[in-house]
């Protein structure tokens, strides 16, 4: 089995990057030929991507060994925009794909960047089992409380009472509390931030990238075109104002206290940061021990 490690920093930023008058500081990590992006004005996914790229720049990771995997949905487009080894996979299957990458090549730093519809609905079973196994990967989950790309339908994170295109009388299902779900499933690092709290979000992504094991960062993010429009927050700015007014930082609390209710507080912070052997650690131990000694 190849040795795990990703410590050698490689600066892929071209020296000439900022000499072009129309260049953006992040151009070297974006596939310009895929731009302009598809995201609506006021959407928070661009903010999430910016925080990820900033964290990558600070991480010292060898960017040649970073793989980004996305599923389907508005957030799933991230894999197509980053100039890294990236994979835009089938709906809900980003985590199994990422697991295969990591097991086949433990040198990789594998990041799954996808939305709540993809990761928590159709992909929910994969999420809990990858966390249970403590597979070494970082999950960045953009949660905008609905299925954005397909028309703003109710989803597994839609708060009770929230209106969507398929819940015109208000959602009457309880939503998943994502930090609680990830922590209960076994994640070693769990954090939640809104797209407004960019410095803290960037720091959490950086910490998650450096973590061994299954790390999970939830980003509460505006979807003004669909979720916001149905819930009296018609602009990205209105949604950011809501995060400003309702965001409360509570590091270290039991994540089961971080439920989201319509119109209520949004509890943010780092809720879990622990160490334990990863799935690959167990694989190596078993291989070192040998079959005959089992
Ligand atoms: Fe963003 Fe919502 Fe537009 Fe999708 S539909 S790009 S999530 S604002």
């Amino acid at each position: 089995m190849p040795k795990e490690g990703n410590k050698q920093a490689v600066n892929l930023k071209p020296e000439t990057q900022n000499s072009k008058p129309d260049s953006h500081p992040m151009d070297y990590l974006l596939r310009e030929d895929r731009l302009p992006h598809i995201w609506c004005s006021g959407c928070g996914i661009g903010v999430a991507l910016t925080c990820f790229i900033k964290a990558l720049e600070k991480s010292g990771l060898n960017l040649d060994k970073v793989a980004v995997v996305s599923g389907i949905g508005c957030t799933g487009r991230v894999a197509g925009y980053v100039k890294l080894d990236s994979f835009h996979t089938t709906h809900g299957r980003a985590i199994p794909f990422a697991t295969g990458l990591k097991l086949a090549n433990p040198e990789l730093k594998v990041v799954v960047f996808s939305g709540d519809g993809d990761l928590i609905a159709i992909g929910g079973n994969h999420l809990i089992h990858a966390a249970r196994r403590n597979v070494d990967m970082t999950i960045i989950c953009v949660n905008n409380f609905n299925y954005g790309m397909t028309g703003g339908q109710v989803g597994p994170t839609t708060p009770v009472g929230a209106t969507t295109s398929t819940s015109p009388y208000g959602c009457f299902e309880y939503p998943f509390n994502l930090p609680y779900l990830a922590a209960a499933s076994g994640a070693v690092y769990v954090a939640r931030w809104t797209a407004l709290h960019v410095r803290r979000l960037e720091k959490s992504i950086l910490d998650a990238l450096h973590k061994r094991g299954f790390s999970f960062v939830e980003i509460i993010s505006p979807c003004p075109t669909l979720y916001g429009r149905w819930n009296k927050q018609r602009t990205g700015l209105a949604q950011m104002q809501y995060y400003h007014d309702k965001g409360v930082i509570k590091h270290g609390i039991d994540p089961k206290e971080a439920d989201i209710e319509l119109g209520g507080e949004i509890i943010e912070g780092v809720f879990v940061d622990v160490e334990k052997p990863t799935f690959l650690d167990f694989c190596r131990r078993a291989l070192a021990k040998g079959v005959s000694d089992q």
Side-chain angles (χ1 to χ4, degrees):
M1 183 173 289
K3 215 163 164 269
E4 190 177 10
N6 193 355
K7 300 283 190 245
Q8 184 197 359
V10 172
N11 184 5
L12 298 180
K13 199 169 189 171
E15 293 296 320
T16 56
Q17 178 65 44
N18 294 323
S19 61
K20 290 196 288 178
D22 59 346
S23 73
H24 184 276
M26 291 178 193
D27 278 354
Y28 77 108
L29 269 175
L30 297 174
R31 296 180 197 272
E32 286 181 84
D33 55 315
R34 302 295 301 274
L35 301 177
H37 58 72
I38 66 157
W39 297 318
C40 309
S41 172
C43 178
I45 300 171
V47 175
L49 176 58
T50 301
C51 290
F52 172 56
I53 288 179
K54 290 270 183 199
L56 265 185
E57 284 180 338
K58 290 180 180 169
S59 70
L61 291 170
N62 179 350
L63 299 184
D64 223 14
K65 300 278 186 189
V66 174
V68 176
V69 185
S70 296
I72 298 301
C74 296
T75 310
R77 291 298 177 120
V78 163
Y81 296 143
V82 289
K83 202 187 284 180
L84 296 162
D85 285 332
S86 58
F87 305 87
H88 191 188
T89 65
T90 47
H91 198 9
R93 312 302 169 212
I95 288 178
F97 201 99
T99 302
L101 273 179
K102 183 65 186 176
L103 299 188
N105 187 353
E107 285 190 9
L108 295 178
K109 169 57 66 180
V110 178
V111 179
V112 172
F113 202 129
S114 214
D116 54 305
D118 185 67
L119 287 172
I120 311 302
I122 188 170
N125 212 30
H126 298 305
L127 179 98
I128 60 175
H129 288 287
R132 174 179 66 81
R133 296 178 180 122
N134 199 21
V135 181
D136 203 347
M137 64 176 67
T138 295
I139 308 289
I140 299 174
C141 178
V142 174
N143 178 6
N144 49 34
F145 304 127
N146 76 147
Y147 290 95
M149 180 168 272
T150 49
Q153 296 91 340
V154 72
T157 57
T158 308
V160 172
T163 311
T164 70
S165 62
T166 52
S167 60
Y169 302 106
C171 173
F172 40 78
E173 300 173 13
Y174 294 105
F176 273 129
N177 166 342
L178 300 192
Y180 188 27
L181 179 68
S185 302
V188 292
Y189 182 91
V190 179
R192 172 197 280 158
W193 298 105
T194 74
L196 179 72
H197 299 89
V198 289
R199 297 285 169 254
R200 293 175 174 98
L201 170 58
E202 183 187 312
K203 170 77 166 58
S204 264
I205 294 175
L206 180 61
D207 291 345
L209 289 171
H210 284 142
K211 193 80 186 170
R212 294 185 79 251
F214 190 91
S215 53
F216 182 88
V217 180
E218 178 189 14
I219 305 170
I220 306 286
S221 172
C223 171
T225 303
L226 292 164
Y227 182 81
R229 182 160 57 96
W230 282 96
N231 291 283
K232 302 190 179 96
Q233 295 171 349
R234 287 178 170 271
T235 64
L237 188 59
Q239 291 199 268
M240 289 291 199
Q241 183 67 49
Y242 178 74
Y243 302 160
H244 175 268
D245 296 343
K246 299 289 187 176
V248 180
I249 298 171
K250 293 185 180 178
H251 289 301
I253 63 157
D254 186 331
K256 74 180 175 192
E257 295 169 25
D259 280 351
I260 288 184
E261 293 176 5
L262 190 66
E265 287 182 342
I266 300 175
I267 296 173
E268 306 171 72
V270 179
F271 307 124
V272 176
D273 191 354
V274 296
E275 307 290 335
K276 65 182 183 186
T278 68
F279 181 76
L280 275 170
D281 290 336
F282 284 120
C283 291
R284 289 199 184 89
R285 275 185 215 171
L287 285 176
K289 206 170 170 191
V291 177
S292 58
D293 296 339
Q294 297 295 314

